[in-house]
Amino acid sequence: EPQLAGPNGRWLALSCGIFVALAVVHTWPLASAPGLLSRNDVADTVLHEWILAWVAHQLVTNPFHLFDANIFYPERYTLAYSDHLIVQSLMGAPLTWAGFSPVFVHNVVLIAGYALSGWTTAYVLTRWTGSRGAARNRYASSPRAGMPPPQAFSWATFGSKRVTSRQRKNDGQND
């Protein structure tokens, strides 16, 4: 069986740029003033802004008590009552540490999450099918624009590619 053509460096850069542009368009006007504009009309947005800030704060002050969030104090492990957003918080932590506002950090992570989810899915579809056209119309979006997409999904698509590669090797096929 012939080996499927994978994406090259030029395609990866171009498709990444396209997905960043699509994420900006999808979340517009957040990108026009990411430190000022927010979807605070959606209660989860405010919660997620706080969680991103809490995790970044706690990682440098007392990481062993990360889940002992200051919400519902004096209860313990209260970060586990909601979305912990560990991956998203790690993405935004350098911005928080640099002094950017929770609103700015949330918006950057939100836009990056849409872009990365779409881009990695396009990458995996291209690897699986050998066709760049298979990923042409794929865009990771959500009807709830104030909610971060599952950024961890982008890592799951790379993980599923690894599983597929190993399965092909086990079947005697090349990656």
Side-chain angles (χ1 to χ4, degrees), residues 89-115:
S89 296
L90 292 173
M91 290 172 64
L95 296 172
T96 301
W97 298 331
F100 288 95
S101 73
V103 170
F104 180 86
V105 173
H106 179 269
N107 286 338
V108 169
V109 170
L110 176 77
I111 293 167
Y114 281 120

Side-chain angles (χ1 to χ4, degrees), residues 61-153:
T61 57
N62 193 351
F64 292 110
H65 291 280
L66 177 66
F67 279 85
D68 292 334
N70 60 3
I71 192 168
F72 304 125
Y73 182 81
E75 292 295 318
R76 297 200 61 208
Y77 312 116
T78 55
L79 186 59
Y81 294 174
S82 185
D83 310 325
H84 54 72
L85 304 177
I86 300 295
V87 171
Q88 297 89 329
S89 296
L90 292 173
M91 290 172 64
L95 296 172
T96 301
W97 298 331
F100 288 95
S101 73
V103 170
F104 180 86
V105 173
H106 179 269
N107 286 338
V108 169
V109 170
L110 176 77
I111 293 167
Y114 281 120
L116 288 173
S117 293
W119 182 65
T120 55
T121 301
Y123 171 80
V124 170
L125 286 174
T126 302
R127 286 292 306 228
W128 282 351
T129 65
S131 167
R132 294 180 184 142
R136 187 173 294 135
N137 296 322
R138 171 65 177 109
Y139 177 57
S141 63
S142 168
R144 297 175 70 189
M147 299 291 294
Q151 284 89 351
F153 178 73

Side-chain angles (χ1 to χ4, degrees), residues 4-43:
L4 299 176
N8 60 25
R10 183 171 172 248
W11 182 89
L12 289 171
L14 179 65
S15 62
C16 182
I18 289 170
F19 281 109
V20 168
L22 287 171
V24 167
V25 168
H26 179 73
T27 59
W28 193 260
L30 294 180
S32 67
L36 300 174
L37 299 177
S38 181
R39 288 293 315 269
N40 285 345
D41 59 318
V42 179

Side-chain angles (χ1 to χ4, degrees), residues 143-164:
R144 297 175 70 189
M147 299 291 294
Q151 284 89 351
F153 178 73
S154 57
W155 306 116
T157 54
F158 277 118
S160 61
K161 183 256 178 209
R162 298 280 300 162
V163 169
T164 303

Side-chain angles (χ1 to χ4, degrees), residues 43-53 82-83 85 106 146-148:
D44 281 349
T45 300
V46 177
L47 175 65
H48 289 164
E49 290 167 357
W50 172 80
I51 292 170
L52 293 172
S82 185
D83 310 325
L85 304 177
H106 179 269
M147 299 291 294

